[in-house]
Amino acid sequence: MATRGDSRKLSLSDARRRLTALSVGAAAALVALLPLGAASAQAAESITVSSTTSTEQSGLFRHILPIFEKKTGISVKVVAVGTGQALDIGRRGDADVVFVHDRVAEEKFVAEGFGVRRQPVMYNDFVLVGPKSDPARVGGSKDVVGALKKIAGARAPFVSRGDRSGTHAAELRFWKMAEVDPKTGSGSWYRETGSGMGPALNSAAGMNAYILADRGTWLSFKNRAELVISVEGDKRLFNQYGVMLVNPARHPHVKQKAGQAFIDWLLSPEGQAAIGSYKIDGEQLFFPNAGSDA
């Protein structure tokens, strides 16, 4: 049988439990009324950037993103594919920012209402890479179009990315200037890999073939085998990169504020300096040129 003292203990215990429950409830109600993040550390914001394989495989993003993330608290997820695919991701609204290198395609993306204001960020150049044995005899030339004519004439092995990337688009422009249809060599001397720059370079190294590459990825590429730079210095090999916010008017879920913060940082003196400071073996991979008309 419970004594009077036991009843008192139970009552005190019940009171404590009720006070605890009230405190928890009050705290929960207070949190619900406060702005998001006011009662605890604000959840980290994140954006998705669809970009080219060259910016990722060259190591540029590994260099610059920690600087941006530390400054802003905004984390960046990069989807690295060919430029054509990166623009398609933006068209579907599956990215907040698009950062690629095919000005014609970029301007079309904006004109069609998928992007907001294309802005130049940086540049480097393309190089024509080939085997040391140089079967097409193009080594040392500064004429990429003439070199492609010789490669086609010699039916020397050539690897194409074949993936609608900015590099692939540039390669096709050069073949057109050379008045050569490389498709006539498909399956023999002309091989399309449908892959990013790194895997395509691996294929070229394995086949001892010529390939058009962006200099950034080439400088960071380790599996060179017998490959060397055959042609460089042609002004037509200029390779410009641009950035665009995916249009929130078309895709309302786009993180406009955070996405624009990333773009603004890329174009700022700090972002431009971060890009320019990225080097491999003392050689600069990308050259900032925000504010230019490139």
Side-chain angles (χ1 to χ4, degrees), residues 175-190:
W175 283 120
K176 187 174 181 180
M177 292 177 191
E179 299 180 334
V180 172
D181 179 6
K183 293 285 189 180
T184 59
S186 292
S188 56
W189 61 271
Y190 185 76

Side-chain angles (χ1 to χ4, degrees), residues 47-97:
I47 59 171
T48 298
V49 176
S50 61
S51 189
T52 74
T53 60
S54 59
T55 48
E56 191 270 335
Q57 292 174 358
S58 67
L60 177 68
F61 279 136
R62 289 193 298 275
H63 177 72
I64 68 171
L65 290 185
I67 303 171
F68 169 75
E69 291 173 350
K70 182 178 180 180
K71 180 181 179 68
T72 65
I74 301 170
S75 64
V76 180
K77 175 187 175 184
V78 176
V79 180
V81 290
T83 287
Q85 292 173 280
L87 290 167
D88 286 344
I89 289 171
R91 287 187 179 92
R92 296 194 300 268
D94 292 333
D96 304 295
V97 174

Side-chain angles (χ1 to χ4, degrees), residues 173-217:
R173 287 197 300 271
F174 298 148
W175 283 120
K176 187 174 181 180
M177 292 177 191
E179 299 180 334
V180 172
D181 179 6
K183 293 285 189 180
T184 59
S186 292
S188 56
W189 61 271
Y190 185 76
R191 306 291 179 89
E192 293 180 288
T193 64
S195 62
M197 195 71 256
L201 278 165
N202 277 323
S203 295
M207 296 169 56
N208 215 24
Y210 294 96
I211 184 172
L212 185 73
D214 70 278
R215 191 183 292 272
T217 307

Side-chain angles (χ1 to χ4, degrees), residues 51-151:
S51 189
T52 74
T53 60
S54 59
T55 48
E56 191 270 335
Q57 292 174 358
S58 67
L60 177 68
F61 279 136
R62 289 193 298 275
H63 177 72
I64 68 171
L65 290 185
I67 303 171
F68 169 75
E69 291 173 350
K70 182 178 180 180
K71 180 181 179 68
T72 65
I74 301 170
S75 64
V76 180
K77 175 187 175 184
V78 176
V79 180
V81 290
T83 287
Q85 292 173 280
L87 290 167
D88 286 344
I89 289 171
R91 287 187 179 92
R92 296 194 300 268
D94 292 333
D96 304 295
V97 174
V98 180
F99 186 6
V100 289
H101 64 141
D102 184 349
R103 180 168 180 170
V104 172
E106 293 162 33
E107 291 177 342
K108 181 180 179 184
F109 181 80
V110 172
E112 292 173 343
F114 292 106
V116 178
R117 192 187 173 194
R118 172 202 176 268
Q119 296 184 82
V121 178
M122 63 189 188
Y123 70 91
N124 64 4
D125 62 344
F126 295 110
V127 290
L128 184 66
V129 172
K132 287 180 182 178
S133 58
D134 196 18
R137 300 293 182 265
V138 298
S141 169
K142 291 187 177 181
D143 179 2
V144 66
V145 173
L148 290 180
K149 285 182 179 179
K150 289 182 177 181
I151 289 169

Side-chain angles (χ1 to χ4, degrees), residues 226-265:
E226 296 298 310
L227 297 182
V228 296
I229 292 179
S230 298
V231 178
E232 61 182 333
D234 188 328
K235 65 181 181 180
R236 292 170 292 192
L237 291 169
F238 178 80
N239 181 29
Q240 176 68 43
Y241 290 78
V243 68
M244 298 158 289
L245 181 73
V246 175
N247 192 351
R250 186 176 287 263
H251 297 293
H253 61 274
V254 165
K255 296 174 182 176
Q256 181 177 3
K257 186 176 180 180
Q260 189 61 52
F262 178 59
I263 292 171
D264 291 344
W265 182 82

